[in-house]
Amino acid sequence: MSTTQLTAGFLPLLDSILLVLAREKGFAEDEGLDLTLFRETSWANIRDRAALGHFDIAQMLAPMPLASSLGLTPLATPMIAPIVLGLGNNAITVSGALWQAMAGQGAPGNLDPTPTGAALAKVVKASPRKLRFGVVHQTSSHNYELRYWLSASGIMPDRDIEIVVLPPPLLPDALGSGGIDGYCVGEPWNSVGVATRGGHIATVKALIWQSSPDKVLGMREAWADAHPDLVASAIRAVYRAGLWCADPANHPEAAAIMSGAAYLNQPPAIVGRALTGMLDIGNGVLQQVPGYYIPHASAANFPWKSHALWYYSQMVRWGEVTASESHAAIAAACFRPDLYRQALAPLAAPLPLADFKTDGEHARTHNILAENGPLSMGPDRFFDGAIFDPEALDRYIASQLAQR
Amino acid sequence: MSNAALSILIIDENRIRASIIESGLREAGHTRVTVIHDVNEVARTIEASSPDVVVVDLENPQRDMLEHFFSLSRAIQRPIAMFVDRSDGAMIEKAVEAGVSAYVVDGLKKERVKSILDMAISRFNAFSRLTRELEQARSELEDRRILDQAKGILMKTRGLSEADAYALLRSTAMNQNRRMVDIAQSLVTAASLLGP
């Protein structure tokens, strides 16, 4: 069978796994794609090289296509995301010293974001210097999650602490050398920080906002319009990679593949933690985190327009973009459930009927209306009990700005 | 010359490449050129020297940090645009292809910055050409070493002259449709496995 060349950029993070498996397990080839992967050193490179057409598609931070389409970035090319590369996968890791201080203020050591955040607030208040936290990019889910957790815990990010940007693989070293006191990053870099730098995982994305999106497959809108068949093939390849990755029987092989020098270049035992959700949170304490990284279940790959709007609400909250109807429309248009449905129709995959959903209302597993359904969804609560209803976007933004 | 007044910051962990760019800029009449290799110094240096133009290589993972820093600067009324000009697609393409990117303070005359970036691009290209050539020379040297070793093995074990050993390697390579150095390499490997 003849194949079409498709180039994809990625960063060394566990949630590049669906792209890696699409290549390594032949899902891309089955779709007629000769998928070539390029490991990059920075999100800025991913963004720029995707914008210039050096990469057809790329692993991107979920807010990245929004930032590009909203004109917040240098090349400001309209970008879309027709499939999500999984839910969760991030955590907030702090230095051993900061953890000691937090434990002294009552942090329970069970990842619960509420008491852990309260303990951190006390430490921040008592600290003679500003604590410094690292995130991986300005318009990243990590930046917004960290800020969300801090704010809801009574810490004002822009006043009480300092946030700096570092590439994921350098964060554990920065923590170890005392350059930063903590960081929010995707796996395996939390586990690496614990294993090699005496870090302690304070809390995780899966508990700050359950079943929330993190990376997407991003691409130029113009390219996607010109190559609908390639887009559909890529969606199916990634979807089937997610299905394969979700099977616990495949976790050892998946971890072995990701541990390779070309991908994460870390021991399989560390790489595998995010896949099984069994984390070493520090000092050898093991904790099972349900839904730590979700590659397939809970419609993990479906690009909800409401999720795009949540990231947009955070961009407004932190002063990166002004609130307006047209900006909201641009943001929502970046996520493309229509392309997702079209591509997966031949697989008889369960497809949500709606493009938007409310997050924060479900503490348990529940079903939603879907074609070829019903579709079982995981819990979707925010740890502070807030509810994000895309119908009431303005009210949500107003309430968050009031918290600033 | 008014160009000389521009302050330029080069951020490159590769010292050789950085110095090649620096000397180019100085030759072009720019006197206010700062070079930093240690990325940890970025924020402090930018604050101290407040450059008009920042030139950074794309291999540098600190690009994200730079942009973050610039956006903070924007917040404190020091507007900074990235690349030369958003509308100049060909220039950006050329720059990224070469592995370099420039960050420019807003309001700076585009033509003045363009010559700086042009220079950086050509220096980047020259540097990677140099690296490629060096790599090639190195691998040619290595190839020759393996060929010599293989010839030596043939001369010793088969009692051939150097010319005959060479001819044997060449005809084997031609028959098998492989490169001579590959044949030589397998011979050397086999010999090492079989022992002295």
Side-chain angles (χ1 to χ4, degrees):
Chain A
M1 190 172 72
S2 76
T3 53
T4 310
Q5 273 284 343
L6 194 70
T7 56
F10 74 101
L11 238 56
L13 286 159
L14 178 93
D15 49 21
S16 63
I17 191 167
L18 301 194
L19 275 174
V20 172
L21 292 175
R23 177 182 163 78
E24 297 285 342
K25 297 299 292 178
F27 301 117
E29 205 181 344
D30 290 349
E31 293 290 337
L33 302 175
D34 179 9
L35 180 64
T36 313
L37 300 177
F38 292 92
R39 186 169 68 182
E40 267 300 345
T41 50
S42 71
W43 286 115
N45 280 12
I46 292 265
R47 180 201 62 206
D48 293 344
R49 302 194 67 186
L52 291 171
H54 291 188
F55 302 144
D56 299 318
I57 59 175
Q59 175 196 22
M60 286 186 188
L61 298 155
M64 195 169 254
L66 280 66
S68 192
S69 300
L70 286 164
L72 304 182
T73 58
L75 302 182
T77 313
M79 295 262 184
I80 62 158
I83 187 164
V84 177
L85 298 177
L87 308 174
N89 192 47
N90 296 344
I92 295 164
T93 297
V94 298
S95 68
L98 177 51
W99 179 253
Q100 280 302 312
M102 287 166 67
Q105 295 289 355
N110 63 359
L111 304 179
D112 186 339
T114 307
T116 308
L120 178 59
K122 287 184 194 153
V123 175
V124 165
K125 205 156 204 177
S127 172
R129 65 172 177 92
K130 269 194 186 180
L131 297 182
R132 187 185 287 167
F133 284 82
V135 297
V136 299
H137 188 73
Q138 177 158 2
T139 54
S140 67
S141 14
H142 314 76
N143 190 20
Y144 303 135
E145 275 149 30
L146 177 67
R147 285 166 174 269
Y148 189 94
W149 177 56
L150 294 172
S151 306
S153 304
I155 301 164
M156 280 167 74
D158 291 319
R159 184 195 67 190
D160 301 337
I161 61 145
E162 192 184 342
I163 294 179
V164 297
V165 169
L166 280 169
L170 298 191
L171 284 165
D173 286 350
L175 189 78
S177 66
I180 52 177
D181 302 292
Y183 56 80
C184 181
V185 73
E187 279 291 281
W189 305 110
N190 296 288
S191 291
V192 169
V194 169
T196 66
R197 299 289 169 176
H200 195 106
I201 299 179
T203 188
V204 298
K205 176 183 173 92
L207 292 173
I208 294 172
W209 177 18
Q210 296 170 302
S211 310
S212 57
D214 201 78
K215 303 300 186 319
V216 297
L217 194 66
M219 58 197 74
R220 278 173 298 140
E221 187 180 27
W223 180 87
D225 286 346
H227 301 94
D229 293 345
L230 286 181
V231 175
S233 299
I235 292 172
R236 283 191 294 270
V238 166
Y239 181 85
R240 290 180 54 216
L243 203 57
W244 188 88
C245 183
D247 185 344
N250 294 329
H251 286 165
E253 185 183 345
I257 291 171
M258 288 309 289
S259 72
Y263 301 121
L264 299 179
N265 201 19
Q266 292 290 329
I270 286 185
V271 171
R273 290 179 191 172
L275 292 172
T276 59
M278 181 61 91
L279 301 183
D280 176 349
I281 61 174
N283 306 325
V285 178
L286 298 181
Q287 187 167 338
Q288 180 72 47
V289 182
Y292 181 83
Y293 170 64
I294 306 175
H296 178 77
S298 195
N301 309 115
F302 187 77
W304 295 99
K305 283 180 177 290
S306 48
H307 284 171
L309 283 178
W310 188 81
Y311 282 116
Y312 161 73
S313 76
Q314 301 306 296
M315 291 177 168
V316 173
R317 180 180 189 178
W318 303 114
E320 292 166 342
V321 68
T322 51
S324 77
E325 244 172 69
S326 64
H327 282 162
I330 291 172
C334 292
F335 277 31
R336 295 289 298 273
D338 57 326
L339 297 180
Y340 180 93
R341 290 197 192 93
Q342 260 170 34
L344 294 180
L347 300 187
L351 302 167
L353 295 184
D355 286 354
F356 296 82
K357 73 184 176 91
T358 299
D359 273 72
E361 282 182 329
H362 304 95
R364 285 170 221 295
T365 305
H366 55 286
N367 286 340
I368 57 164
L369 291 175
E371 210 177 311
N372 308 317
L375 190 44
S376 172
M377 301 290 286
D380 58 22
R381 304 244 309 155
F382 290 91
F383 85 99
D384 61 350
I387 287 172
F388 177 68
D389 177 359
E391 298 276 325
L393 180 64
D394 293 341
R395 203 167 356 130
Y396 185 78
I397 288 175
S399 74
Q400 297 219 313
L401 285 176
Q403 269 185 51
R404 248 191 108 169
Chain B
M1 205 169 136
S2 62
N3 266 355
L6 285 185
S7 101
I8 305 164
L9 174 65
I10 301 165
I11 305 169
D12 199 332
E13 283 171 315
N14 187 319
R15 283 165 189 277
I16 300 172
R17 188 168 52 201
S19 67
I20 290 177
I21 300 169
E22 187 188 2
S23 67
L25 284 167
R26 290 197 186 278
E27 275 165 35
H30 295 287
T31 50
R32 299 176 59 200
V33 183
T34 314
V35 182
I36 56 172
H37 312 287
D38 184 0
V39 287
N40 292 325
E41 298 295 316
V42 168
R44 219 171 308 147
T45 310
I46 289 180
E47 215 137 56
S49 66
S50 70
D52 300 308
V53 183
V54 180
V55 177
V56 58
D57 68 291
L58 295 195
E59 286 157 30
N60 196 324
Q62 304 290 348
R63 282 193 71 206
D64 291 304
M65 180 181 127
L66 266 179
E67 293 190 8
H68 175 72
F69 185 79
F70 290 157
S71 85
L72 292 182
S73 305
R74 192 168 53 198
I76 56 166
Q77 305 306 313
R78 268 187 40 216
I80 293 189
M82 288 161 202
F83 285 94
V84 172
D85 186 318
R86 276 181 194 180
S87 60
D88 197 345
M91 186 70 175
I92 292 164
E93 177 79 50
K94 245 170 55 186
V96 172
E97 211 82 79
V100 58
S101 153
Y103 297 81
V104 184
V105 177
D106 240 359
L108 209 60
K109 284 262 181 336
K110 186 172 143 193
E111 312 79 64
R112 295 173 67 190
V113 176
K114 206 164 179 167
S115 68
I116 294 174
L117 189 53
D118 261 332
M119 207 281 311
I121 291 171
S122 72
R123 293 270 161 160
F124 256 74
N125 285 331
F127 176 76
S128 51
R129 223 173 13 250
L130 214 71
T131 317
R132 259 200 317 276
E133 280 165 14
L134 197 67
E135 192 57 41
Q136 204 179 341
R138 215 175 264 153
S139 87
E140 272 167 15
L141 212 65
E142 175 70 1
D143 285 1
R144 188 165 328 145
R145 199 179 60 79
I146 290 167
L147 273 176
D148 283 345
Q149 251 180 303
K151 270 193 298 189
I153 293 166
L154 286 177
M155 286 157 72
K156 207 164 96 186
T157 57
R158 303 270 306 262
L160 296 175
S161 71
E162 183 171 355
D164 288 345
Y166 183 81
L168 180 58
L169 281 171
R170 193 177 53 186
S171 62
T172 310
M174 278 162 69
N175 290 341
Q176 299 195 9
N177 200 19
R178 287 164 67 196
R179 296 192 315 138
M180 258 178 88
V181 63
D182 293 337
I183 300 290
Q185 179 67 66
S186 7
L187 189 63
V188 171
T189 310
S192 77
L193 286 175
L194 294 173

